[in-house]
Amino acid sequence: MSEKFMNKYRIPSSRLQTWDYGNEGAYFITICTNGRKQYFGRITGGAMILNGTGKLAERFWKEIPDHFPFLELDNFVIMPNHVHGILIIKRGTAETRLIASLRGGFAGNKNPMFHINISRIIRWYKGRCSFEINKIHPGFAWQPRFYDHIIRDAADWERIRNYITDNPANWMEGKSFEK
């Protein structure tokens, strides 16, 4: 039975309960537009052609490491109604840069780097996109949740990288194709 929060039923988390999503690692992420409405462009000849909103979605994806210096981007693709990407958390390599960028630190002298996780990164991305895209398409929204997969080994990584790369060419074969 679902739990209630503020007198509303909550959907149980799809996240792996035994994993800290702030841990170093590689994560495959999929974020869909609300109702899978195609805001970002179209597929032509197996290639994604970004429109203005698609270019914004791409720009803000590329800016993620500017806001989260311990994060690296790997393969990603903006599709007509969703985004696929691999995010890599490497805390140790960016700790010096992050601490140097802090002015005065945070309350309790806690390093904020360890309070950031995949959910917060995606929340920033979705919020930034929504703010700008709503100026062009009032009512633009993302689905409330996102899909994640913890990449566990090199074979998994390669399979996911190929899936992302091939996604535009396979668009008509996928479940998300809409006329």
Side-chain angles (χ1 to χ4, degrees):
M1 177 172 243
S2 298
E3 297 178 31
K4 281 190 170 184
F5 175 74
M6 296 182 68
N7 210 25
K8 294 181 182 180
Y9 284 103
R10 298 183 72 182
I11 298 169
S13 175
S14 61
R15 307 286 173 264
L16 181 61
Q17 297 303 306
T18 58
W19 183 258
D20 178 351
Y21 283 82
N23 282 347
E24 286 192 351
Y27 301 85
F28 171 51
I29 305 295
T30 300
I31 312 167
C32 297
T33 60
N34 196 33
R36 298 203 181 224
K37 188 169 179 183
Q38 297 182 18
Y39 284 99
F40 302 136
R42 67 185 189 289
I43 304 290
T44 303
M48 180 63 192
I49 309 301
L50 297 174
N51 60 19
T53 55
K55 289 177 183 175
L56 286 172
E58 180 182 55
R59 179 178 131 205
F60 296 129
W61 187 267
K62 288 179 177 179
E63 286 182 9
I64 291 172
D66 297 341
H67 300 277
F68 303 97
F70 54 85
L71 193 127
E72 293 179 12
L73 303 178
D74 196 71
N75 275 23
F76 75 93
V77 65
I78 309 297
M79 295 293 289
N81 62 8
H82 64 281
V83 175
H84 288 303
I86 297 174
L87 301 176
I88 305 162
I89 294 179
K90 289 187 172 183
R91 294 192 183 278
T93 59
E95 184 171 7
T96 306
R97 284 184 288 157
L98 181 65
I99 291 171
S101 70
L102 296 175
R103 296 181 188 185
F106 283 61
N109 230 1
K110 294 179 181 175
N111 185 341
M113 179 174 70
F114 294 104
H115 299 291
I116 302 296
N117 59 30
I118 290 295
S119 292
R120 287 191 182 189
I121 294 163
I122 300 306
R123 187 178 315 133
W124 175 86
Y125 173 74
K126 288 168 73 172
R128 188 71 184 111
C129 285
S130 295
F131 181 80
E132 294 300 332
I133 293 172
N134 267 290
K135 293 176 184 178
I136 301 165
H137 292 287
F140 169 83
W142 296 100
Q143 285 185 353
R145 300 172 129 208
F146 65 93
Y147 170 82
D148 70 81
H149 171 79
I150 304 162
I151 300 174
R152 299 173 196 273
D153 58 35
D156 196 24
W157 196 317
E158 193 61 29
R159 180 186 57 78
I160 291 167
R161 291 182 95 214
N162 290 335
Y163 175 81
I164 291 169
T165 299
D166 297 341
N167 207 243
N170 295 329
W171 174 249
M172 292 179 70
E173 298 171 22
K175 294 178 188 176
S176 58
F177 176 75
E178 298 173 6
K179 291 183 180 180

